[in-house]
């Protein structure tokens, strides 16, 4: 599918990504000159910056991310990613909605709303990981998405086995992240999230190396 055909099919995503620019223009005079630009795990603002960063930079990042993912198949020199159109489309669309959600929460905080949205962000990240994990087992070797270690890129069988395992781990990890806001207060939520993310990144890395060495010794 060409880029133009994809844009026609996903026109509603473009609308969702463009709406924040008009919202920012409408509320521009109501925004304080300095707005929160970063929040800690508890949803507390811990860094501030000029209002254009929230009003326009975040929407630009969302739109730019969408276009970048859209262009990936066109710039793939060996067209390997064409076999992963469904996973790429799912990632592209959910990432767009996720970025608009972040914009909405940060804008609300900038306008004085006291809602703690950190849990919603964590749930959103968990959903994104779950969606990626759901499609990971069907992603063929490519240069852009997936577990791209030196060993998965070197050996197609290593890629296949690593993504088969990673699919299961990421689905479980995504669910755990979505449920993490429910943990008792005596448990450090930030530590729990770091552990989950570390497992999601670490196990596929180590596993791909182990499988590569095993296949290498067998051959």
């Amino acid at each position: 599918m060409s880029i133009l055909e994809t844009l026609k099919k996903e026109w509603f995503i473009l609308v969702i990504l463009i709406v924040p620019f008009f919202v920012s223009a409408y509320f521009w005079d109501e925004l304080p000159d300095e707005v929160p630009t970063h929040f800690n795990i508890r949803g507390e603002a811990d860094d501030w910056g000029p209002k254009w960063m929230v009003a326009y930079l975040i929407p630009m990042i969302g739109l730019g991310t969408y276009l970048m993912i859209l262009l990936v198949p066109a710039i793939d020199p060996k067209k390997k990613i064409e076999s992963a159109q469904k996973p790429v489309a799912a990632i592209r669309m959910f990432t767009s909605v996720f970025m608009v959600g972040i914009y909405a929460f940060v804008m609300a905080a900038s306008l004085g709303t006291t809602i703690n949205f950190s849990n919603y962000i964590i749930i959103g990240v968990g959903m994104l990981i779950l969606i990626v994990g759901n499609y990971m087992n069907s992603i063929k070797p490519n240069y852009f998405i997936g577990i791209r270690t030196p060993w998965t890129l070197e050996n197609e069988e290593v890629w296949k086995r690593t993504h088969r395992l990673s699919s299961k781990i990421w689905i479980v990890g995504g669910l755990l992240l979505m449920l993490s806001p429910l943990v008792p207060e005596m448990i450090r939520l930030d530590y729990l999230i770091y552990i989950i993310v570390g497992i999601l990144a670490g196990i596929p890395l180590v596993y791909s190396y182990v499988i590569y060495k095993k296949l290498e010794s067998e051959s």
Side-chain angles (χ1 to χ4, degrees), residues 98-140:
F98 180 71
M99 289 301 300
V100 172
I102 290 179
Y103 163 81
F105 284 127
V106 178
M107 271 292 286
S110 301
L111 291 169
T113 303
T114 57
I115 298 175
N116 186 332
F117 59 84
S118 62
N119 288 344
Y120 298 101
I121 298 297
I122 294 171
I123 292 172
V125 172
M127 289 180 64
L128 179 59
I129 291 174
L130 189 151
I131 289 172
V132 174
N134 183 58
Y135 284 104
M136 191 173 287
N137 197 31
S138 63
I139 297 175
K140 305 300 181 183

Side-chain angles (χ1 to χ4, degrees), residues 76-81 141-145 148 153 159:
D76 183 359
K78 294 188 177 181
K79 305 301 179 184
K80 291 185 175 183
I81 205 170
N142 68 88
Y143 300 119
F144 298 97
I145 63 172
R148 294 173 293 108
L153 294 175
W159 176 286

Side-chain angles (χ1 to χ4, degrees), residues 14-69:
L14 284 175
V15 171
I16 292 173
L17 289 167
I18 292 172
V19 164
F21 290 96
F22 292 97
V23 173
S24 294
Y26 182 81
F27 285 107
W28 179 258
D29 291 335
E30 297 182 34
L31 287 170
D33 292 333
E34 193 173 66
V35 296
T37 56
H38 189 271
F39 299 81
N40 60 29
I41 195 69
R42 293 178 294 278
E44 302 166 344
D46 56 11
D47 196 10
W48 288 262
K51 60 182 179 180
W52 63 264
M53 293 182 67
V54 169
Y56 294 110
L57 182 59
I58 295 179
M60 286 176 64
I61 292 174
L63 181 59
T65 301
Y66 172 84
L67 294 175
M68 181 181 68
I69 301 175

